[in-house]
Amino acid sequence: MPEMLEVEVYRQTAAQSLGRRIVAVDASDAWFLKGGTDEASVVGALVGRTFVTDRRRGKLLLLDTSEDGPTLGLRFGMTGVLELDGVDAIDGLEYSSHRKDPAWERFVVYFEDGGALRLRDPRRLGGVELDPDEERLGPDAGDASLTQLRAVLSESNAPLKARLMDQARLAGLGNLLTDEILWRAGFDPARAAGSLTSDDVAALRRTMRTTLRVLGRRGGSHMGDLQDSRHRGGVCPTDGAVLLRRTIGGRTTYSCPQHQR
Ligand SMILES: [Zn+2]
């Protein structure tokens, strides 16, 4: 599914739509409109305006509009794909089909120059919202300060992995990134979040930033070193131990019993 690295690529793609006059919007899929908005509101808010700023917070893509118009928030759920001017932002991602089935088009913004920004989502778990409440999300995992990360984890008995994936506390990490980061940092995803020492949190933050940078360069959250071992009987690429496969925070989790403590 799209995690923050994929949405970051979507943001860079959407940046190419800035300054282009919006002449029409297809927001006819009522299910896809969130936050109590409807088709007429979305069309009325966007047509005649341009996108002026592209931003991202965690997995939420934000496009501010001209003339004090609203901010458009796009969420990609499990399978959402962003397409600009007929070209997918990311080719060949594993989590979704890149077949261009018109039935999967959930939201389209048409520009005066003939181009269009399309959100395709086979499973329809993403959404579109005007002025989404950004404060309901924690700080972005790529920007979180040490103080912020300590606040996310401290005094919590929740499993470390569940806490890191709680978007209200820390925005952006999904299942694959979290497993990769904890594997690299050597922390057991099931241990209590609050059991990390101050030095542990600092080390985790360093690993988190490095992992995001490296996997971003490689092309996405499925490019981790642990990825090929994510199957029953898979072994740790570092020490050869058979990986544990558990459900933590509701998600299938792979970790090494040998070096993750
Ligand atoms: Zn290991």
Side-chain angles (χ1 to χ4, degrees), residues 11-12 14-16 18 52-56 61-64:
R11 181 191 67 73
Q12 292 165 13
Q16 298 165 39
L18 299 189
V52 293
T53 324
D54 55 282
R55 298 182 289 124
R56 181 187 59 77
L61 175 61
L62 297 154
L63 295 169
D64 303 313

Side-chain angles (χ1 to χ4, degrees), residues 183 186 226 235-243 255-260:
W183 174 76
L226 190 64
V235 299
C236 175
T238 305
D239 52 45
V242 176
L243 297 179
S255 64
C256 175
Q258 188 75 26
H259 84 271
Q260 288 181 252

Side-chain angles (χ1 to χ4, degrees), residues 73-85:
L74 300 176
R75 290 189 178 82
F76 299 91
M78 301 282 283
T79 55
V81 175
L82 194 72
E83 173 195 312
L84 181 67
D85 303 336

Side-chain angles (χ1 to χ4, degrees), residues 32-74:
F32 215 67
L33 303 179
K34 310 296 182 187
T37 194
D38 58 18
E39 180 181 9
S41 305
V42 175
V43 172
L46 297 181
V47 171
R49 290 201 163 90
T50 60
F51 296 128
V52 293
T53 324
D54 55 282
R55 298 182 289 124
R56 181 187 59 77
R57 183 148 171 181
K59 307 176 198 174
L60 176 66
L61 175 61
L62 297 154
L63 295 169
D64 303 313
T65 62
S66 58
E67 300 159 52
D68 295 326
T71 296
L72 178 68
L74 300 176

